[in-house]
Amino acid sequence: MLRTARRTAALVNVLCDAAPTVAAVEAVLREYGETDPLHLSADGVEEMRAAAVSLREVFAAPDTDTAAHRLNRLLAAGCGPLRLTSHGGGTPWHPHLDSDDAAPWGEWFLASSCMALTVLLWDRQRPPGGLCASPSCAHVYLAVGPGTARRYCSRRCATRERVAHHRRAKRPGPA
């Protein structure tokens, strides 16, 4: 489930960019284990983009209850009943919430992502992730480790913000 949740965050980030391309989305799908041929079209990317916008609301939830309510809304509106599949014997049996093994890309992405984020929330009893606190970044991240809550999507964003804060503090004030 953690791999699927990581794929969800990566896809939300690429799909919520200004103009996600088929190639960029396919690259993320391959990085997380999807195999060729993918048969992803521009229409499929648009379906996935709509799902990504909805999933981003789960990452933006300020607390566990809000994240759970947002996930429940997505599960009720966009996911089918739980079913097991082995994709015709090509994979080990695993659960799906989409309607069919040949479901459209947007339906598959929403259903598999909701499943992963639901399990993370259930297991950890906290929101599954968050939005990067950097004003120059719009990425989401998973909150899966122990310790204090994360604020940034990456070390790069955290470092950039820390350096910017340091530089602002060193500037001479108005005379």
Side-chain angles (χ1 to χ4, degrees):
M1 271 304 135
L2 191 53
R3 183 172 176 82
T4 301
R6 286 187 174 121
R7 182 196 65 208
T8 297
L11 283 169
V12 167
N13 289 335
V14 76
L15 288 161
C16 287
D17 281 346
T21 64
V22 171
V25 175
E26 284 181 340
V28 173
L29 289 169
R30 286 186 188 99
E31 179 182 345
Y32 286 91
E34 294 300 318
T35 56
D36 288 319
L38 293 175
H39 303 296
L40 182 62
S41 65
D43 288 341
V45 169
E46 281 307 308
E47 292 171 8
M48 291 176 75
R49 183 179 168 93
V53 169
S54 296
L55 290 162
R56 194 170 194 286
E57 292 179 19
V58 176
F59 286 96
D63 55 55
T64 306
D65 288 348
T66 304
H69 289 298
R70 290 176 182 176
L71 272 168
N72 280 337
R73 188 183 74 241
L74 291 175
L75 286 163
C79 299
L82 185 64
R83 65 185 180 84
L84 291 169
T85 184
S86 68
H87 299 281
T91 66
W93 287 97
H94 59 282
H96 267 238
L97 289 172
D98 52 8
S99 61
D100 186 83
D101 286 353
W105 280 103
E107 180 185 338
W108 165 83
F109 175 48
L110 181 65
S112 64
S113 297
C114 282
M115 170 105 58
L117 297 178
T118 296
V119 169
L120 283 177
L121 188 147
W122 172 26
D123 184 51
R124 293 172 170 81
Q125 294 296 303
R126 63 181 187 203
L131 300 178
C132 187
S134 172
S136 63
C137 180
H139 284 177
V140 301
Y141 60 85
L142 287 179
V144 295
T148 59
R150 283 179 66 174
R151 295 186 52 227
Y152 299 99
C153 67
S154 66
R155 287 185 186 152
R156 182 177 176 204
C157 273
T159 300
R160 184 176 58 243
E161 290 304 311
R162 192 171 39 253
V163 168
H165 176 76
H166 177 75
R167 288 180 179 156
R168 281 190 305 272
K170 288 208 145 224
R171 281 189 204 138

